[in-house]
């Protein structure tokens, strides 16, 4: 935050150069930066120039002002920090978080004290006696121009510091906190320098181009979806700036064409701020349909005390049903495992509790969303001989599911829960407590569903709207029915007659007579006024004083809405609208032609102009009743926070400002919003839906079967044959029909002895439990299977899958790649205090797996749990924790069958490395699958290896775990592959990956054999095997936190850290009786629903009255 004289001069000189190159988009493109940094529109470049101009300012009073602002902000934050311990910086330490708490808390505190990273000695010395506020931190877009550096800012958080902490530990003797801070900052600077060098190399070879956009992310996505040149949205809140993508059309470099479909979309943690559903429905249509396309979301705000319910809480529904309907699923849901060390976050959560009350909890959750079953442009087309089924849903079930999400989105409108909500928020805030959704959000979701789900959409919409209109729980929400219907029309999803034909064409609406036409009503008095108009309300600046508690301070960010009320006689009608745009400025009226213009006050909250709000509303609501009774107001949303803060100031209706529609100074009504071209918006939306909506092909359909809670539990495929087809004739002749599982989502339909057809469900299923119905005369076959839900056992171990792309290349499904050659080695010591590694490996087990292990349960039915134990043996043995090695690393391992003690695979481990991206570790290893022929050829080398000291560690495998290893090995090889597959690769010629899971056969192709590096050749005793080994990357496998419970961590402040991974956690939490809350490992399960548990029959009887409503019989 503070910089030296020389740094300030360098910054200003470079900024002046940028200003000279950026007068317009074209001048920028012709500059030395235009090839690799571009702008989506002129508005973004103009905004950047606004900041750059302030950076080079030589105004003494201005620079003095920002200097005081920064130093006051730093001082205030230092007082807030005090002596408290802050743990959020521990994420940079990866698996060594337990060793970094004291040091990173120190660097955070020193950063706010000194203004330089970690308060490091080098930078503090460079500052000297005279330092300056860094303009890049001092100048902000904060509404009141105040110091706006986030209180959680920590420069080291974005770097990988695990290798540095490891070196600090291994160097011997504990360094002082300032010395540790200097080491950490030096490491961060080195990483940043390396990153810059790589980026510069990419720029020189013209392999990278960054396009910048400043504005509303959701609006940008919708504009890209429509693919139109006309501005249909505003660029950002608080600005009267239309969203033109003029930068896309003015790019002079043909190497970087205009793009509106992407292979990877990373939304960071925008979902925390705008709502996860909003982000998914805005970005999903922009994602290319391919096996490698991925949407990345991230959240930092905890949605629940229990991480397993966090994702479903944010989505407002169960993950499986949402994923099935939207066409994108979290990879953790599909795989049931992750290579990301999620135990680090669990450990961080165990030591960082919110201070005081009303503190927002954090839990970092990274999710990769992929298509569960890749489809081509024609959903029912055949790819590689497979027929892909479409998703079809019962209209009533889909409507009920949508209504449940609707109620979750607007749960704050249920005033019956007002008291309980206020009580819970006194204890802790969750991300679900924030109001992020308007009626436009649920409509945007429906819009996307119309492109992914086959159903009777007319029936869905009528049923859904009936449910909304009949609902009596969301009392406040009944005032938003007009807004809901309006957005359904604006998005082209569903249009009421009154919004399709215009209000004057329909005599009565909602049993209210429209008033006669009048010339004084402007656009409302026309013969055929548009069905939707825009109210422009100017709110006096003085009315906004309620939001400020003093000069330059905003007390809160409350939710607001526009209310349109009609009062005549004793009757009053109110409609609320929560989707609008606002800016500071004033409306101007041309007396000659009656047109309305606008002047924006760029000073925003610092200026003196009124707040202008532009809000779309259905016209018919403005034409019912006498005009004299029509009022427009700005009000706060009715919720617990606003009622508590503002009732005494604004009254029970929380009205900020209200005026009559006849108030010409404050209210205007227009056909279109200022500067936006909305004349064809609805048509554009309908055209988009028509292009992207799936159509039934009549031959094969896939139906989702929902339970009484509207969750999708089963999938049903019906395939119909032409009457003159061979299949239809075979069915009539009475041949047998059988179904054989082919993969986690595909089955082979066998009709008689010669007719086979591969059918693919739209989501993974338990294909081994498939049920079949055959209609021989009608020539159709129907198959039904339960949806596979992780962590249920997967007979095909789909998470290990390596797939073949259409171009013949190979891709990993859910396992991330890693470059072993650039990962930092983990130094191994003879010290026994390796608690960080024990905690990491202990975190690989879920609560359920830990329970099975502690109670000596047979794991042969749980091969993934067995695999985790085997990986633990290999990693811990290499780290020197095998008693036979006497503290020395063991490099050689053999996978043996427990039933006959035969060895089928040798593994050679050459090193342990940090996996920085995943916060984990990875073994650099080499694998040698053994066959009878290969054992004979390598007999002398194998005999020498077995007689070495220490001898290879044997890892005993059950039959199921052996199969899992053979399926996993190709993925582990592909994960770190640096060589190219040959044209004659066995994967291609045989069409199978792995090649085999049988004994005496190798699962791997020969393409990677003998591609050894120095990490292998440095071990002379391995020389006989060099021609036959393939490099693999072995790493711990973790449970998925939003699928199953992780093991709980002990208090990290306990001095005696555990020495084994199996004891690195506390005992698994026992279950509780649903009636008396008594804990026990021997509870009785309700026979009706199979979910709720009781400690006795008496408790079950006592709880039955409350439970029977939810119990599924």
């Amino acid at each position: 935050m503070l910089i030296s004289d020389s740094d300030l001069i360098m910054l200003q000189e470079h900024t002046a150069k940028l200003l000279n190159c950026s007068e317009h988009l074209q001048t920028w493109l012709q500059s030395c930066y235009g090839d690799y940094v571009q702008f989506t529109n002129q508005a973004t470049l103009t905004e950047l120039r606004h900041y750059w101009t302030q950076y080079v300012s030589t105004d003494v009073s201005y620079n003095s002002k920002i200097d005081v602002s920064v130093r006051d902000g730093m001082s205030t934050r230092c007082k807030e920090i005090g002596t408290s311990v802050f743990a959020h910086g521990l994420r940079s330490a990866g698996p060594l978080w337990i060793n970094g708490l004291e040091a990173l808390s120190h660097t955070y505190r020193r950063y706010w004290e000194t203004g330089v990273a970690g308060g490091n000695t080098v930078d503090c010395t460079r500052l000297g006696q005279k330092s300056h506020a860094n303009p890049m931190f001092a100048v902000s877009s904060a509404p009141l121009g105040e110091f706006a550096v986030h209180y959680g800012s920590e420069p080291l958080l974005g770097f990988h510091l695990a290798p540095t902490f490891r070196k600090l530990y291994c160097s011997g003797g504990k360094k002082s906190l300032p010395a540790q801070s200097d080491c950490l900052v030096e490491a961060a600077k080195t990483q940043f320098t390396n990153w810059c060098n790589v980026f510069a190399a990419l720029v020189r070879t013209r392999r990278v181009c960054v396009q910048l956009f400043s504005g509303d992310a959701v609006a940008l996505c919708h504009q890209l979806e429509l693919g139109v040149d006309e501005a249909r949205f505003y660029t950002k809140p608080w600005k009267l700036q239309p969203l033109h993508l003029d930068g896309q059309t003015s790019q002079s470099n043909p190497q970087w064409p205009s793009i509106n479909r992407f292979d990877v979309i990373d939304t960071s943690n925008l979902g925390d701020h705008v709502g996860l559903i909003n982000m998914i429905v805005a970005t999903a249509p922009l994602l290319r349909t391919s096996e490698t396309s991925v949407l990345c979301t991230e959240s930092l705000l905890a949605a629940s005390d229990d991480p397993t319910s966090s994702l479903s809480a944010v989505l407002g529904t169960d993950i499986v049903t949402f994923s099935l309907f939207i066409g994108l699923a979290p990879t953790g849901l599909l795989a049931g495992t992750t290579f990301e060390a999620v135990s680090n976050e669990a450990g961080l959560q165990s030591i960082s509790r919110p201070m005081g009350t009303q503190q927002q909890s954090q839990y970092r959750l990274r999710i990769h969303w992929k298509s569960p079953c890749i489809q081509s442009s024609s959903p029912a087309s055949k790819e590689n001989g497979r027929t892909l089924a479409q998703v079809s849903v019962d209209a009533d079930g889909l409507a009920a599911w949508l209504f449940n999400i609707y109620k979750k989105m607007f749960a704050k409108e249920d005033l019956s829960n007002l008291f309980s909500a206020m009580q819970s928020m006194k204890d802790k805030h969750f991300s679900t407590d924030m109001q992020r959704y308007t009626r436009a959000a649920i409509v945007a979701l429906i819009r996307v569903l119309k492109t992914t789900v086959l159903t009777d959409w007319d029936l869905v919409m009528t049923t859904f709207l009936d449910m909304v209109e009949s609902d009596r729980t969301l009392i406040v929400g009944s005032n938003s029915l007009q807004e809901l219907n309006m957005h359904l029309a604006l998005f082209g999803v569903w249009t009421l007659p009154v919004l399709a034909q215009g209000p004057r064409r329909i005599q009565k609406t909602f049993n209210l007579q429209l008033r006669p036409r009048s010339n004084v009503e402007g656009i409302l008095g026309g013969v055929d006024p548009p069905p939707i108009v825009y109210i422009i309300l100017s709110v006096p600046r003085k009315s906004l004083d309620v939001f400020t508690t003093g000069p330059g301070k905003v007390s809160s960010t409350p939710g607001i809405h526009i209310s349109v009320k009609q009062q005549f006689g004793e009757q009053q009608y109110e409609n609320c609208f929560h989707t609008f745009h606002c800016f500071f400025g004033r409306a101007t009226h041309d007396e000659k032609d009656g047109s309305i213009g606008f002047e924006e006050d760029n000073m925003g909250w610092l200026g003196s102009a009124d707040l202008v709000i532009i809000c779309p509303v259905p016209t018919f609501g403005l034409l019912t009743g006498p005009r004299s009774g029509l009022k427009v107001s700005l009000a706060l949303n009715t919720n617990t926070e606003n009622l508590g803060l503002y009732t005494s100031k604004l009254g029970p209706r929380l009205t900020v400002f209200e005026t009559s529609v006849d108030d010409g100074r404050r209210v205007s009504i227009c056909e279109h919003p200022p500067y936006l071209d909305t004349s064809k918006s609805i048509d554009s939306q309908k055209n988009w839906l028509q292009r992207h909506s799936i159509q039934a092909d009549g031959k094969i359909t896939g139906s989702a079967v929902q339970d009484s809670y509207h969750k999708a539990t089963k999938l049903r495929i019906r395939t119909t044959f032409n009457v003159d087809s061979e299949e239809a004739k075979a069915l009539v002749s009475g041949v047998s029909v059988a179904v054989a599982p082919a993969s986690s989502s595909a089955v082979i339909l066998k009709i008689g002895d010669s007719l086979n057809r591969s059918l693919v469900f739209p989501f993974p299923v338990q294909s081994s439990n498939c049920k079949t119905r055959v209609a021989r005369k009608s020539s159709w076959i129907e198959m039904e299977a339960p949806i596979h839900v992780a962590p249920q056992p997967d007979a095909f171990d789909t998470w290990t899958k390596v797939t073949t792309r259409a171009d013949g290349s190979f891709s990993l499904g859910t396992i991330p790649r890693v470059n072993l050659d650039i990962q930092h080695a983990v130094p191994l010591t003879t010290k026994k205090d390796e608690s960080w590694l024990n905690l990491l490996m202990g975190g690989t087990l879920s609560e359920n797996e830990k329970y099975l292990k502690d109670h000596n349960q047979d794991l042969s039915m749980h091969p993934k749990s067995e695999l985790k134990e085997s990986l633990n043996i290999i990693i811990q043995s290499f780290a020197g924790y095998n008693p036979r090695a006497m503290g020395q690393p063991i490099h050689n391992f053999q996978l043996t069958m427990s039933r006959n003690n035969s060895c089928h695979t040798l593994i050679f481990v050459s090193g342990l490395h940090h996996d920085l991206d995943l916060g984990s570790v990875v073994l650099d290893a080499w694998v040698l699958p053994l066959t009878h022929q290969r054992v004979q050829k390598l007999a002398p080398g194998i005999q020498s290896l077995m007689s070495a000291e220490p001898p290879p560690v044997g890892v005993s495998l059950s039959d199921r775990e052996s199969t899992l290893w053979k399926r996993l090995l190709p993925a582990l090889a592909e994960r770190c592959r640096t060589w190219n597959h040959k044209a004659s690769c066995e994967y291609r010629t045989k069409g199978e990956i792995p090649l085999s899971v049988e004994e005496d056969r190798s699962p791997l192709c020969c393409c990677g054999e003998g591609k050894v590096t120095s990490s292998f050749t440095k071990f002379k005793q391995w020389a006989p095997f060099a021609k036959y080994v393939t490099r693999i990357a072995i790493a711990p496998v973790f449970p998925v936190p939003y699928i199953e419970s992780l093991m709980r961590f002990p208090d990290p402040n306990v001095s005696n850290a555990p020495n084994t991974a199996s004891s690195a956690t506390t005992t698994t939490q026992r279950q509780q009786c649903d009636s008396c809350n008594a804990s026990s490992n021997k509870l009785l399960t309700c026979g009706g629903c199979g979910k709720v548990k009781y400690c006795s029959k008496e408790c079950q009887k006592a709880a039955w009255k409350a439970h029977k409503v939810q119990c599924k019989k």
Side-chain angles (χ1 to χ4, degrees):
M1 286 182 281
L2 301 181
I3 55 177
S4 64
D5 272 328
S6 59
D7 290 336
L8 181 60
I9 292 172
M10 179 184 69
L11 171 63
Q12 291 181 332
E13 289 178 347
H14 185 66
T15 304
K17 183 179 178 181
L18 294 174
L19 284 169
N20 289 334
C21 298
S22 59
E23 292 182 2
H24 193 271
L25 280 173
Q26 289 299 330
T27 58
W28 177 265
L29 288 171
Q30 294 166 7
S31 72
C32 59
Y33 308 108
D35 279 345
Y36 61 93
V37 176
Q38 298 177 0
F39 299 93
T40 306
N41 55 9
Q42 177 66 47
T44 297
L45 180 58
T46 301
E47 183 169 358
L48 273 177
R49 284 179 57 83
H50 167 71
Y51 292 116
W52 292 343
T53 302
Q54 296 177 76
Y55 293 171
V56 299
S57 172
T58 57
D59 187 309
V60 176
S61 62
Y62 173 77
N63 289 333
S64 175
K65 177 183 176 182
I66 66 172
D67 194 272
V68 170
S69 175
V70 170
R71 294 181 190 276
D72 286 349
M74 291 169 56
S75 176
T76 299
R77 183 56 185 154
C78 285
K79 292 177 182 177
E80 294 170 348
I81 294 172
T83 58
S84 301
V85 175
F86 287 83
H88 77 289
L90 289 179
R91 293 189 178 101
S92 63
L96 281 97
W97 59 268
I98 194 171
N99 295 339
L101 180 60
E102 191 177 14
L104 286 170
S105 189
H106 171 79
T107 62
Y108 174 75
R109 185 178 296 105
R110 287 290 292 160
Y111 170 63
W112 285 93
E113 290 173 355
T114 65
V116 297
N120 71 91
T121 305
V122 173
D123 289 337
C124 284
T125 302
R126 291 186 68 234
L127 287 180
Q129 296 298 317
K130 186 178 181 181
S131 59
H132 305 272
N134 187 341
M136 292 190 292
F137 286 79
V139 178
S140 76
S141 60
L144 296 177
E146 67 272 25
F147 178 75
V149 177
H150 192 273
Y151 62 85
S153 296
E154 160 62 283
L156 299 182
L157 184 58
F159 296 94
H160 300 298
L161 301 180
T164 306
F165 276 111
R166 185 62 188 154
K167 289 178 182 177
L168 286 171
Y169 174 78
C170 294
S171 61
K174 185 176 181 180
K175 292 180 179 289
S176 66
L177 289 177
Q180 291 185 57
S181 180
D182 287 348
C183 291
L184 295 171
V185 173
E186 181 183 1
K189 289 181 177 180
T190 300
Q191 288 179 34
F192 185 71
T193 300
N194 293 338
W195 185 91
C196 291
N197 291 336
V198 171
F199 184 79
L202 293 172
V203 168
R204 287 192 296 271
T205 55
R206 300 170 70 86
R207 294 167 57 196
V208 63
C209 180
V210 179
Q211 282 202 10
L212 303 178
F213 171 74
S214 175
D216 186 290
V218 175
L220 173 65
C221 291
H222 287 312
Q223 185 79 23
L224 288 172
E225 287 170 20
L226 295 177
V228 295
D229 296 330
E230 302 85 4
R232 302 290 167 80
F233 308 92
Y234 291 106
T235 300
K236 61 173 60 178
W238 306 105
K239 291 290 183 181
L240 188 63
Q241 194 173 66
L243 177 52
H244 289 291
L245 301 182
D246 44 0
Q248 291 255 314
T249 58
S250 64
Q251 309 297 349
S252 61
N253 187 350
Q255 186 180 3
W256 308 111
S258 175
I259 299 173
N260 62 0
R261 297 278 281 180
F262 304 89
D263 296 299
V264 178
I265 300 176
D266 191 334
T267 67
S268 185
N269 69 320
L270 281 173
D272 283 338
H273 304 283
V274 303
L276 182 60
I277 293 179
N278 281 335
M279 283 311 307
I280 291 176
V281 300
T283 54
L286 300 177
L287 197 65
R288 282 199 177 101
T289 303
S290 78
E291 55 276 295
T292 56
S293 297
V294 60
L295 168 64
C296 306
T297 63
E298 184 173 344
S299 62
L300 288 175
L301 305 182
S304 168
D305 267 328
D306 182 5
T308 59
S309 61
S310 58
L311 182 54
S312 57
V314 172
L315 296 176
T317 183
D318 68 293
I319 309 171
V320 172
T321 308
F322 183 88
S323 301
L324 173 67
F325 291 172
I326 208 74
L328 290 173
T331 55
L333 177 67
L334 303 175
T337 60
T338 178
F339 278 70
E340 182 181 359
V342 293
S343 58
N344 298 341
E345 190 67 24
L348 177 60
Q349 189 187 44
S350 72
I351 62 174
S352 58
R353 295 287 184 260
M355 298 180 300
T357 60
Q358 295 187 335
Q359 191 87 8
Q360 174 66 59
S361 300
Q362 280 200 0
Y363 189 90
R364 184 172 182 247
L365 196 62
R366 295 169 64 187
I367 301 175
H368 294 163
W369 301 76
K370 285 190 172 186
S371 175
C373 292
I374 298 300
Q375 299 185 12
S376 66
S377 58
S378 175
S381 68
K382 292 185 177 180
E383 296 181 355
N384 300 324
R386 304 186 309 163
T387 303
L388 304 173
Q390 301 162 307
V391 179
S392 175
V393 186
D394 172 72
D396 289 335
L398 181 57
W401 180 79
L402 283 170
F403 181 59
N404 281 344
I405 291 185
Y406 179 88
K407 290 198 295 185
K408 293 288 181 61
M409 280 184 170
F410 308 111
K412 292 265 184 170
E413 297 174 359
D414 183 356
L415 297 186
S416 64
N417 294 327
L418 183 63
F419 179 76
S420 60
M422 294 177 68
Q423 287 298 113
S424 65
M425 291 180 64
K426 287 182 179 179
D427 301 324
K428 190 178 291 185
H429 275 297
F430 293 113
S431 64
T432 47
D433 295 327
M434 303 178 188
Q435 289 180 289
R436 298 186 180 88
Y437 298 113
T438 66
R439 265 58 187 184
I442 188 69
V443 174
L445 173 61
I446 296 173
R447 171 180 177 263
V448 172
L449 292 178
K450 291 192 75 172
T451 69
T452 59
V453 174
L454 280 172
T455 189
D456 183 344
W457 276 104
D458 288 344
L459 181 56
V460 169
M461 295 312 304
T462 55
T463 305
F464 169 69
L465 291 174
D466 284 345
M467 290 177 172
V468 172
E469 293 175 12
S470 303
D471 178 60
R472 294 296 176 265
T473 58
L474 305 182
I475 303 299
V476 180
S478 60
N479 293 334
S480 296
L481 292 177
Q482 280 196 22
E483 182 183 30
L484 175 61
N485 285 310
M486 177 190 69
H487 283 299
L488 287 170
L490 288 174
F491 277 91
V493 172
W494 175 261
T495 307
L496 288 176
V498 72
L499 293 176
Q501 303 177 29
R504 291 291 180 191
R505 300 185 188 185
I506 298 180
Q507 294 301 310
K508 290 186 178 181
T509 303
F510 296 116
N511 298 320
L512 297 176
Q513 184 72 40
L514 300 184
R515 63 176 174 270
R517 289 177 51 213
S518 171
N519 293 331
V520 299
E521 292 204 61
I523 191 174
L524 297 181
V527 176
D528 189 18
I532 296 172
V533 294
Y534 291 81
I535 290 179
I536 301 175
L537 174 67
S538 295
V539 179
R541 170 69 69 148
K542 188 167 183 59
S543 297
L544 306 178
D545 290 346
V546 68
F547 299 125
T548 59
T549 56
K553 291 187 178 180
V554 177
S555 59
S556 64
T557 308
I560 57 178
H561 64 268
I562 292 295
S563 172
V564 179
K565 287 180 277 192
Q566 175 61 268
Q567 178 82 46
F568 55 98
E570 296 182 356
Q571 293 181 309
Q572 176 172 306
Y573 299 89
E574 180 179 12
N575 290 287
C576 300
F577 301 89
H578 300 76
T579 305
F580 50 82
H581 188 78
C582 54
F583 67 97
F584 286 99
R586 68 187 186 94
T588 60
H589 300 264
D590 191 314
E591 295 181 358
K592 294 181 179 180
D593 59 10
S595 62
I596 302 174
F598 297 88
E599 295 178 359
E600 183 177 357
D601 182 356
N602 290 321
M603 294 297 291
W605 282 93
L606 292 176
S608 58
D610 294 341
L611 178 65
V612 181
I613 299 176
I614 306 165
C615 181
V617 299
T619 306
F620 69 81
L622 302 177
L623 295 177
T624 55
R627 182 179 174 89
S628 59
L630 200 59
K631 295 185 181 298
V632 181
S633 63
L634 172 66
L636 302 188
N637 297 344
T638 303
N639 56 44
T640 54
E641 302 95 319
N642 290 343
L643 287 171
L645 286 172
Y646 294 104
T647 300
S648 60
K649 301 176 183 179
L650 301 175
R653 299 187 69 86
L654 301 177
T655 301
V656 178
F657 173 73
E658 184 174 88
T659 188
S660 169
V661 170
D662 286 327
D663 185 352
R665 290 180 58 250
R666 295 292 176 186
V667 179
S668 303
I669 299 176
C670 304
E671 183 175 359
H672 303 292
Y675 308 132
L676 296 188
D677 184 357
T678 58
S679 59
K680 299 180 180 178
S681 287
I682 295 178
D683 289 338
S684 296
Q685 294 284 3
K686 289 181 177 179
N687 290 336
W688 183 88
L689 277 171
Q690 188 174 12
R691 292 195 309 271
H692 294 87
S693 296
I694 60 175
Q695 304 295 326
D697 68 348
K699 299 292 181 63
I700 179 170
T701 58
S703 303
V705 180
Q706 297 172 275
D707 64 11
S708 58
Y709 298 99
H710 315 297
K711 297 179 181 180
T713 58
K714 299 177 182 178
L715 288 177
R716 184 184 299 136
I717 288 182
R718 176 180 289 189
T719 179
T720 304
F721 305 103
N722 293 329
V723 293
D724 57 349
S725 65
E726 293 184 21
E727 291 89 348
K729 294 175 182 177
L731 289 178
V732 173
S733 69
V735 300
S736 62
V737 174
V739 174
S743 71
S744 62
S745 57
V747 294
I748 302 296
L749 179 60
K750 299 182 177 182
I751 304 173
D753 297 328
S754 58
L755 297 175
N756 292 340
R757 187 170 183 179
S758 179
L759 300 175
V760 182
F761 287 87
F763 205 84
V765 295
Q766 300 174 36
S767 52
S768 59
N769 295 331
C770 190
K771 297 180 180 179
T772 308
R773 294 175 59 206
V774 181
R776 298 183 181 275
K777 293 182 179 180
S778 301
S779 302
W780 58 257
I781 300 175
E782 185 177 87
M783 289 147 287
E784 182 180 282
I787 292 177
H788 176 264
V789 180
Q792 292 175 346
D794 176 7
F796 294 93
D797 300 316
T798 308
W799 65 280
T800 67
K801 194 69 175 173
V802 179
T803 58
T804 306
R805 299 176 187 164
D807 61 2
S809 60
F810 304 100
S811 66
L812 290 165
T814 61
I815 297 178
R817 293 186 179 274
V818 61
N819 188 339
L820 291 174
D821 295 326
I822 65 172
Q823 299 295 331
H824 292 261
V826 178
L828 299 176
T829 71
T830 56
K831 296 181 181 180
K832 290 301 181 183
D833 183 18
E834 296 289 355
S835 56
W836 70 272
L837 185 58
N838 295 320
L839 286 172
L840 179 71
M841 298 307 300
T844 62
L845 298 181
S846 66
E847 275 196 347
N848 183 59
E849 289 171 326
K850 180 65 163 55
Y851 177 86
L852 294 174
K853 179 180 178 181
D854 288 347
H855 291 77
N856 298 317
Q857 299 291 314
D858 181 14
L859 295 180
S860 62
M861 300 299 292
H862 305 273
K864 196 181 297 182
S865 301
E866 289 184 301
L867 173 71
K868 291 181 179 182
E869 286 294 303
S870 298
L871 293 173
N872 182 38
I873 291 172
I874 295 173
I875 295 174
Q876 295 276 28
S877 295
F878 181 79
Y881 284 93
N882 190 300
R884 291 188 296 168
M886 301 179 63
Q888 297 300 315
I890 293 180
H891 294 270
N892 307 321
F893 300 87
Q894 53 180 334
L895 304 183
T896 62
M897 301 299 297
S898 58
R899 54 181 164 79
N900 57 16
N901 206 32
S902 63
C903 171
H904 65 59
T905 304
L906 293 178
I907 295 176
F908 307 90
V909 180
S910 57
L912 179 67
H913 297 262
H914 292 282
D915 192 338
L916 298 178
D917 288 338
L918 302 179
S920 185
V921 295
V922 58
L923 290 177
D924 186 357
W926 306 81
V927 63
L928 175 60
L930 296 177
T931 62
H932 180 72
Q933 182 180 9
R934 186 165 285 179
V935 169
Q936 287 182 327
K937 184 181 296 186
L938 298 174
I942 294 175
Q943 185 175 2
S944 175
L945 189 71
M946 295 301 172
S947 59
E949 284 295 335
V953 169
V955 181
S956 181
L957 312 179
S958 67
D959 286 357
R960 291 196 177 193
E961 188 189 357
S962 175
T963 298
L964 176 54
W965 267 102
K966 294 215 169 191
R967 286 172 172 167
L968 180 61
L969 286 175
L972 298 185
E974 195 68 22
R975 188 183 181 213
C976 60
R977 177 173 61 85
T978 56
W979 37 267
N980 294 323
H981 285 278
K982 304 172 185 176
S984 59
C985 174
E986 296 95 325
Y987 293 160
R988 295 190 179 106
T989 58
K990 295 186 177 180
E992 292 184 11
I993 309 175
L995 297 179
S996 174
V997 296
E998 302 298 327
E999 289 188 64
D1000 199 38
R1001 293 188 63 186
S1002 173
L1004 299 170
C1005 69
C1006 298
C1007 303
E1009 289 184 355
K1011 305 293 193 301
V1012 296
T1013 67
S1014 58
S1015 67
F1016 183 90
T1017 57
K1018 67 182 179 181
F1019 294 91
K1020 303 301 182 184
Q1021 67 273 30
W1022 292 351
F1025 312 105
K1027 292 172 56 178
Y1028 307 100
V1029 294
T1030 300
R1031 197 179 196 182
I1032 59 174
I1034 297 177
V1037 177
F1038 297 87
V1040 179
Y1042 52 87
I1043 299 297
E1044 54 183 331
S1045 298
L1046 308 184
M1047 291 202 308
R1048 295 189 176 187
F1049 278 81
D1051 186 347
N1053 297 314
V1054 175
S1055 58
N1056 296 323
N1059 253 344
T1060 62
S1062 61
S1063 61
T1065 65
T1066 56
T1067 304
T1068 303
Q1069 184 185 26
R1070 298 193 297 176
Q1071 296 174 315
Q1072 289 184 326
C1073 172
D1074 197 59
S1075 176
C1076 67
N1077 294 324
S1079 297
S1080 174
N1081 289 325
K1082 298 180 179 180
L1083 295 178
L1084 305 175
T1085 303
C1086 171
C1089 63
K1091 299 177 181 178
V1092 177
K1093 297 180 181 295
Y1094 303 98
C1095 59
S1096 65
K1097 292 183 178 180
E1098 289 73 19
C1099 277
Q1100 184 179 21
K1101 291 179 180 179
W1104 175 244
K1105 184 176 180 180
H1107 174 58
K1108 66 180 179 180
V1109 179
Q1110 300 293 331
C1111 185
K1112 179 185 176 184
K1113 287 192 172 181

